[in-house]
Amino acid sequence: MNSPVDILKRYWGFDTFRTQQLEIIESVLNDKDTIALLPTGGGKSICYQIPALIKEGICVVVSPLIALINDQINSLDAKGIKAFHIPAGSSQDEVVRIFDNLKFGNYKFLYLSPERIQSKFIQEKIKQLPISFFAIDEAHCISEWGHDFRPSYAELSILKELKNDTPIIALTATATKKVLVDIDSTLQLKEPILFKKSFYKPNLSYRILKSEDKLYRLKEIFTKIKSPAIVYVSSRKKTVEISNFLNANGFKSASYHAGLSAIEKEVAYKGWMTNRTPIMVATNAFGMGIDRPDVKVVIHYNIPSSIENYVQEAGRAGRNSDNSYAITLTNESDIKLTLNLFESSQPTLKEIKFTHAKLYQYYQIAKGELVETGFDFNILEFCNVYNLPTRKVFNILQILNNFGIIELNHFSQKKSTLQFLIHHNQLNSYKSANGKKIKFIDTLLRMYGGLFEQEVQINEFTIGKLVGITSTRVIDILNELHIDQIINYKKSSKNSTLYFLHPREDDLTINRSSKKITQLLSYKHEKIKNLIQFIENDTVCRSVQLLSYFGEENPKVCNTCDVCLRKEKIIDVSSQILNLIKERTEISSREICQILNYKERDILIHLRKLLAEEKIKVTNYNTYLLV
């Protein structure tokens, strides 16, 4: 049998493991339930991939994002390792074929989303597989106290029911003690071994920079730093605005957010990875699975949503162990705005009950009635009907979803479809009369089959690329063809689908979970308070603050953050002033400013400090002497 080091060398080209990787691998090889808490860039995937290659059977990996699953499978495929996932929309026959291939095709990995595992059919198929162990990636999603809670993750206790003696490894980059307890209890782990690597990153310098002109600061930073970078912003609109600003100032950047199509995301990501656009301006949608070792700087243009998110996003810098920077640009207005937005968007228990009752009323559901079909839901329309604040309602819906009161499927986006309504001969006549649309129509016919027989899903962005026009112009032309009754065009819908999981009982439904909901609301207030405290605390080393938050004892001072550098500067300037006075015996502040390469304001601050400490004294002629 190959050893872990042999596998590492053969497939990854490394001779040695990073800290704790080998110990985690050995724990899995010894069939122990394992929790691995490794910071971003700590090499979590190797911890389950190597034991899976050594052990008999198939490793089932639970992962939250399709993009992350695809990246992992492509990476394994490039190494000649066989892995499968079940594509969205697969029929039952296709799923049966996939599981047959898994059993008889020498596959080592099956990647599944947590939602897929809730399918009874999939569960039966898992029972029939020879499974080596389960790997739960991004395991913090299990806990409602975590920063990325996913209700489907909370149902993963089913794994022990399906395969009671099969070990589990849970992996995450950020988890507090409370979250670790939830991971253990939810997965029903048996005497799990916890591996917890320090979050201390000696090569990553945390900087909180106060600036009233953040755009100017961005220019300053990217004039000095020419390496790959990520700029995190708070909204989709800002990704475009900041990217346009950087491009107008001679920097190459792209924007990335959740509203982009899959193709647009891929184009932006490839541009960043190939250095065509080395600066990525993004919302936190640019997150899990981003694996580029040479990112030099991560900038938070806006205050992040939590310390957990901050650590995970900042940790995308310096994975190659080179010196790197995590910079947050902020000012007093920013902090006030963050607190105001938080307060205005966080609901009370009373508001949760009110909105919950209005949802039933909106769909005219009577008391005691349970409707099992889903409802098309548009949050803006709902809020307009009842004059409710959208941000607050969004948070209420998340809480109701997380506590199993409703199910809100945000990923039910319906793709655009079209079908031709006329025959080929009639279409030729239309093309003759509308010459400017010939190329467009012919492109549609080449790209998609069956357009005359049925509705076919289309992608406006892809059509635009082939025709050489924007996706907005594609939509305009399709609408014109629709109005002319040449096609039936249905534009994509981004509405969610809402399911009620309980009969209508109004307050009674909420009351069953009111204690936990109240605790959650309190916990959210605590998290924002911790975040603001971290940003405003300029007396304690940034690294020490972060390590203490995650429960590390005796954390090291980093000596590279803005707090540490400011302390060093104070000590350095003071000692230089003392040496200068000693050398000259008597000297004025003007002379000190001329000799020392510091701002006059800083020198005056240090002179006052030395006077207060009675290390120097001032004469009647405003000159300084040693005491």
Side-chain angles (χ1 to χ4, degrees):
M1 182 180 76
N2 287 324
S3 72
V5 175
D6 293 335
I7 299 287
L8 181 71
K9 179 69 175 174
R10 178 180 171 188
Y11 290 105
W12 280 268
F14 301 125
D15 294 312
T16 57
F17 286 101
R18 296 182 191 174
T19 307
Q20 289 197 324
Q21 281 182 328
L22 184 57
E23 292 92 330
I24 294 167
I25 288 166
E26 287 172 343
S27 176
V28 177
L29 289 174
N30 290 326
D31 293 334
K32 302 289 186 183
D33 282 346
T34 307
I35 300 175
L37 175 54
L38 300 178
T40 304
K44 293 187 296 298
S45 57
I46 277 179
C47 294
Y48 68 81
Q49 288 173 344
I50 285 182
L53 293 174
I54 295 173
K55 288 169 76 76
E56 291 292 323
I58 295 160
C59 172
V60 174
V61 185
V62 181
S63 186
L65 295 177
I66 297 301
L68 192 54
I69 288 173
N70 288 334
D71 284 347
Q72 292 282 351
I73 288 177
N74 291 338
S75 175
L76 289 168
D77 186 57
K79 294 177 175 64
I81 300 167
K82 298 175 83 172
F84 241 134
H85 83 289
I86 300 174
S90 299
S91 68
Q92 199 166 94
D93 286 344
E94 288 168 331
V95 172
V96 169
R97 254 196 317 275
I98 287 169
F99 274 89
D100 283 344
N101 283 333
L102 284 165
K103 276 194 280 190
F104 307 114
N106 199 29
Y107 281 85
K108 294 303 293 181
F109 296 93
L110 170 62
Y111 281 80
L112 293 172
S113 70
E115 289 79 16
R116 275 280 184 191
I117 290 177
Q118 305 314 311
S119 158
K120 296 292 183 189
F121 183 70
I122 298 290
Q123 289 172 13
E124 287 305 311
K125 287 293 173 187
I126 286 174
K127 284 181 184 177
Q128 298 166 18
L129 279 183
I131 294 174
S132 53
F133 61 94
F134 294 104
I136 316 299
D137 204 6
E138 308 296 342
H140 58 269
C141 296
I142 282 172
S143 175
E144 61 200 38
W145 313 118
H147 60 289
D148 280 322
F149 175 61
R150 288 273 288 272
S152 50
Y153 260 80
E155 303 298 322
L156 290 178
S157 57
I158 188 69
L159 297 177
K160 283 293 186 184
E161 293 176 33
L162 298 175
K163 296 273 188 177
N164 184 45
D165 295 326
T166 302
I168 293 175
I169 177 172
L171 307 108
T172 179
T174 51
T176 58
K177 288 179 181 178
K178 189 187 283 280
V179 172
L180 290 173
V181 168
D182 278 359
I183 291 170
D184 182 359
S185 60
T186 300
L187 294 175
Q188 298 178 13
L189 303 180
K190 298 172 183 175
E191 299 178 358
I193 300 174
L194 172 64
F195 295 91
K196 188 176 178 182
K197 186 179 176 182
S198 173
F199 282 84
Y200 180 62
K201 292 192 171 184
N203 67 308
L204 183 58
S205 177
Y206 299 102
R207 308 280 174 91
I208 310 291
L209 303 183
K210 300 286 176 68
S211 177
E212 296 303 323
D213 190 347
K214 294 200 225 175
L215 291 175
Y216 179 75
R217 277 288 195 159
L218 276 183
K219 280 201 298 182
E220 270 191 331
I221 292 165
F222 289 125
T223 300
K224 293 175 184 174
I225 295 176
K226 308 294 184 184
S227 305
I230 305 172
V231 181
Y232 281 111
V233 297
S234 59
S235 69
R236 297 176 182 184
K237 184 180 177 184
K238 269 201 172 72
T239 64
V240 178
E241 288 175 355
I242 302 297
S243 179
N244 287 344
F245 168 81
L246 289 170
N247 291 333
N249 281 275
F251 307 105
K252 294 178 181 178
S253 73
S255 59
Y256 189 106
H257 57 74
L260 299 178
S261 69
I263 293 173
E264 287 170 318
K265 287 177 182 175
E266 187 179 348
V267 168
Y269 180 69
K270 282 185 176 175
W272 183 66
M273 288 296 288
T274 57
N275 275 341
R276 188 168 52 83
T277 48
I279 303 170
M280 182 66 84
V281 185
T283 61
N284 60 9
F286 192 67
M288 294 178 192
I290 302 306
D291 188 17
R292 182 168 184 174
D294 60 342
V295 174
K296 186 73 171 177
V297 60
V298 170
I299 298 173
H300 282 89
Y301 190 83
N302 301 106
I303 293 174
S305 56
S306 68
I307 288 181
E308 287 88 346
N309 275 13
Y310 172 74
V311 167
Q312 200 160 41
E313 289 158 8
R316 296 191 174 107
R319 292 189 179 185
N320 57 2
S321 298
D322 286 353
N323 289 337
S324 54
Y325 305 91
I327 298 173
T328 302
L329 301 178
T330 189
N331 50 50
E332 288 303 318
S333 301
D334 255 2
I335 293 168
K336 285 177 185 174
L337 180 62
T338 299
L339 287 170
N340 288 340
L341 281 174
F342 176 81
E343 292 299 337
S344 64
S345 64
Q346 289 305 300
T348 62
L349 190 63
K350 184 178 178 182
E351 288 170 326
I352 293 170
K353 289 179 177 180
F354 177 83
T355 304
H356 175 240
K358 289 300 178 190
L359 284 171
Y360 284 106
Q361 187 178 317
Y362 185 63
Y363 292 108
Q364 300 181 338
I365 297 170
K367 286 194 174 180
E369 184 182 1
L370 173 62
V371 181
E372 295 185 356
T373 55
F375 294 92
D376 199 44
F377 182 74
N378 184 301
I379 189 170
L380 294 177
E381 291 173 7
F382 173 76
C383 291
N384 285 338
V385 168
Y386 296 105
N387 194 28
L388 296 170
T390 308
R391 277 177 174 272
K392 188 172 284 188
V393 168
F394 178 82
N395 286 331
I396 290 171
L397 294 171
Q398 291 298 103
I399 290 167
L400 294 175
N401 185 71
N402 292 352
F403 281 91
I405 294 165
I406 64 168
E407 184 177 314
L408 190 62
N409 184 354
H410 293 295
F411 307 100
S412 62
Q413 178 173 337
K414 297 166 187 170
K415 292 184 179 178
S416 299
T417 62
L418 75 80
Q419 180 180 4
F420 277 94
L421 301 175
I422 58 176
H423 296 296
H424 285 280
N425 293 337
Q426 293 170 298
L427 182 59
N428 288 332
S429 301
Y430 180 83
K431 283 160 64 178
S432 299
N434 296 270
K436 290 183 179 178
K437 292 179 182 171
I438 291 174
K439 180 183 177 184
F440 184 86
I441 292 170
D442 287 346
T443 302
L444 288 179
L445 294 171
R446 281 197 306 273
M447 288 179 69
Y448 302 103
L451 287 171
F452 291 93
E453 291 79 32
Q454 61 189 7
E455 288 186 355
V456 175
Q457 289 185 349
I458 62 163
N459 185 300
E460 292 89 344
F461 181 77
T462 311
I463 296 167
K465 278 189 73 177
L466 286 174
V467 180
I469 57 178
T470 65
S471 56
T472 304
R473 181 63 188 138
V474 170
I475 292 166
D476 290 341
I477 297 172
L478 290 172
N479 281 326
E480 290 168 16
L481 292 170
H482 183 86
I483 291 166
D484 291 344
Q485 296 187 343
I486 304 301
I487 63 171
N488 180 26
Y489 169 55
K490 296 178 183 175
K491 192 173 178 306
S492 63
S493 163
K494 292 188 179 179
N495 286 357
S496 301
T497 303
L498 177 76
Y499 296 89
F500 292 97
L501 304 181
H502 298 272
R504 181 176 179 179
E505 294 178 303
D506 291 348
D507 287 3
L508 287 174
T509 308
I510 305 294
N511 287 343
R512 294 187 191 104
S513 302
S514 62
K515 186 177 179 182
K516 272 201 161 188
I517 290 173
T518 303
Q519 286 175 344
L520 177 65
L521 295 174
S522 174
Y523 186 67
K524 284 179 178 290
H525 277 89
E526 188 182 324
K527 284 172 89 74
I528 195 71
K529 187 178 78 175
N530 288 331
L531 176 69
I532 298 300
Q533 188 177 31
F534 167 71
I535 287 169
E536 290 187 325
N537 187 342
D538 58 2
T539 60
V540 178
C541 166
R542 300 290 176 194
S543 186
V544 168
Q545 291 185 58
L546 294 173
L547 297 174
S548 299
Y549 178 81
F550 287 105
E552 292 195 25
E553 295 178 4
N554 305 315
K556 298 178 183 177
V557 173
C558 71
N559 295 318
T560 61
C561 71
D562 60 297
V563 176
C564 290
L565 290 177
R566 195 179 303 113
K567 285 181 178 177
E568 273 190 17
K569 186 176 178 182
I570 289 169
I571 295 165
D572 186 44
V573 176
S574 295
S575 62
Q576 287 187 54
I577 290 171
L578 288 171
N579 288 335
L580 197 56
I581 295 172
K582 184 179 180 182
E583 183 185 314
R584 298 291 182 94
T585 309
E586 187 175 334
I587 191 169
S588 69
S589 60
R590 183 178 295 277
E591 288 173 306
I592 293 171
C593 292
Q594 287 172 347
I595 296 168
L596 297 182
N597 187 27
Y598 296 106
K599 292 178 182 177
E600 182 180 356
R601 182 193 63 189
D602 289 341
I603 286 174
L604 294 175
I605 289 170
H606 296 304
L607 284 170
R608 285 197 293 271
K609 176 177 173 288
L610 291 168
L611 284 167
E613 293 171 350
E614 296 184 353
K615 292 180 179 177
I616 61 172
K617 62 184 178 182
V618 63
T619 70
N620 293 332
Y621 304 102
N622 284 326
T623 57
Y624 295 92
L625 302 168
L626 290 178
V627 172

